[in-house]
Every structure is written in C-alpha cells, then in structure tokens.
Amino acid sequence: MPIKSAASLVALCLLLFSAAPLPARAAVEHAPVTAAFLKTERIAVPGKLVKAARILDAGGEHILVVSMHTGPSGAENATPGDDEERYELFASLYTRKANRWAREWLIEDVNDCPIIDSSANFFPKYITITDLDQNGIAEVTVPYKYFCNGGVDSSTLKVIMRQGAQKFAVRGQTRVVHGDSDFGGELVFDPSLSLKDNAVFKAHLKYIRDKVYIER
C-alpha cells in the first residue's frame, strides 16, 4: 500500500473514532430487598432491620443494610430490667467479591442513656441512593436522630453520606416547636462540603436535613 494511502487510512480512522459517541456511563440502579433475602445471602442483621436495598453501580453489586439494636444500658447507674436504654444504630454497605459479601463501609452510632428519657430513630423514607455527581458510583445518605434528656429538648441529628471511601455529613440539632416555644435547629456542615466539587453533595444533605429536622 502506498504511503500516501496508508496515511489517508489512518486519518480516516481517527476521524471516525473522534466522531463516534462515547458509551453512556452505566446508571446506578437499586431495589428494596427483604430480611429473607439477606438471610439467604448470609448477611447478618444486628437488631431490627430498618431498610435494605440491592444496588448496582460501576463498582459492582452491593447490599445496603440499615438496622437498630436496643437493649439495657451498660452504665453503672442503669435501671435493672430496662431493655431500651441503649440504642445502637448501624448502616453497612456490602460488595460482592466472587461468592461472598465483603463489608465496604460501616456507619455506627450509639446512644447509651440510662434513667432519663431516651430514644433513637432512622428516617427510612429519606435513606437515599443517588448518583448526584454522575460518576456511576452510588452515594448512600442515611439520616437519623437520638435523644437523651429529662425534658422537652432537641435531639441530636445527623445526616451522613457515603460514596465508597468518601464520607460527608451535616450534624446538629432538631428544631422543637412546642406551644409557644421554638428552639434548636443548629446545623454544621463538614468542612469538605465547602469545596466547589462537593456542592451537589452539600445541597442534597441540606435537602434531607430540612425534611427531618422539625419536631412538634
């Protein structure tokens, strides 16, 4: 083949490749799963299951498990026989590795509150699975609150997002609207959320927080 023709062929190939559309990035998909499914997959659930989902993204197949375990306080001044003074909150993401599930990350918190009023709750409706930055990797956002006090007061509120090894959070207090009283509602973002690249995460965390932070 003459050199001129070979050069023309190379140029034509480059033109075709540059004109061809890039393949679309795989969308993040997710669907709820049951406790029975988790059992068949041999994924342990500490305490009572709150929410579970199967997730498919560019990193593979994952299982999200959110649960809460309640029990007696471990404190010395705990009331004997009181089975709901200690609240353990768990959110785990498992990734399929060959024929087993390996835990990729864990969100864990404890509210151990003997004698005085206590509680803890996730917000299942607002536990979200998204791809806000459209990189094909799922973000999981988990909001929850806990209370340890002897009267009408704000609860501690946290909204935590995980995207693989990355972790972002907004923390603060619930806002209590009780008769003529209106107090609480403090809000603190992780410093990393001030970065421009994380603006979409900050907006999402603020959106979720605004959905759950008022108590009446």
Side-chain angles (χ1 to χ4, degrees):
M1 180 184 294
I3 295 177
K4 183 177 180 180
S5 298
S8 298
L9 180 61
V10 170
L12 178 62
C13 289
L14 290 173
L15 178 63
L16 290 173
F17 278 118
S18 63
L22 294 173
R25 189 183 298 277
V28 171
E29 300 177 7
H30 59 91
V33 297
T34 64
F37 173 82
L38 298 177
K39 187 175 181 179
T40 62
E41 296 297 313
R42 299 182 179 180
I43 296 177
V45 179
K48 183 179 180 180
L49 182 65
V50 174
K51 189 167 186 174
R54 178 173 177 261
I55 304 169
L56 296 175
D57 67 5
E61 181 182 2
H62 316 278
I63 298 292
L64 171 67
V65 180
V66 181
S67 67
M68 183 167 66
H69 178 265
T70 60
S73 171
E76 293 182 0
N77 61 337
T79 304
D82 194 331
D83 292 333
E84 289 202 358
E85 291 185 325
R86 179 180 174 90
Y87 301 81
E88 299 174 276
L89 301 98
F90 306 96
S92 298
L93 189 76
Y94 296 87
T95 300
R96 187 183 290 281
K97 304 288 186 181
N99 293 322
R100 66 184 184 89
W101 292 99
R103 189 162 66 190
E104 184 174 337
W105 51 253
L106 167 67
I107 299 169
E108 182 178 11
D109 215 333
V110 176
N111 181 30
D112 194 334
C113 185
I115 301 178
I116 57 179
D117 295 338
S118 62
S119 64
N121 299 97
F122 286 102
F123 298 93
K125 180 180 177 180
Y126 296 105
I127 297 174
T128 64
I129 300 163
T130 55
D131 185 15
L132 300 168
D133 58 0
Q134 298 184 338
N135 67 348
I137 302 297
E139 306 113 8
V140 176
T141 302
V142 180
Y144 62 92
K145 66 178 180 179
Y146 56 82
F147 180 81
C148 182
N149 209 311
V152 178
D153 205 350
S154 299
S155 299
T156 297
L157 177 65
K158 299 182 182 181
V159 185
I160 299 177
M161 174 189 285
R162 291 296 305 255
Q163 185 190 54
Q166 290 186 295
K167 179 181 178 182
F168 306 99
V170 54
R171 301 174 176 86
Q173 303 291 319
T174 58
R175 177 183 169 190
V176 177
V177 180
H178 182 74
D180 294 332
S181 300
D182 186 340
F183 56 89
E186 293 81 4
L187 174 67
V188 178
F189 289 100
D190 280 353
S192 60
L193 289 169
S194 63
L195 299 176
K196 183 179 179 181
D197 289 347
N198 297 331
V200 67
F201 299 150
K202 183 176 182 179
H204 179 71
L205 289 168
K206 177 66 163 51
Y207 170 80
I208 297 297
R209 177 263 186 185
D210 287 350
K211 290 293 184 181
V212 302
Y213 86 112
I214 294 181
E215 295 188 284
R216 298 186 184 275

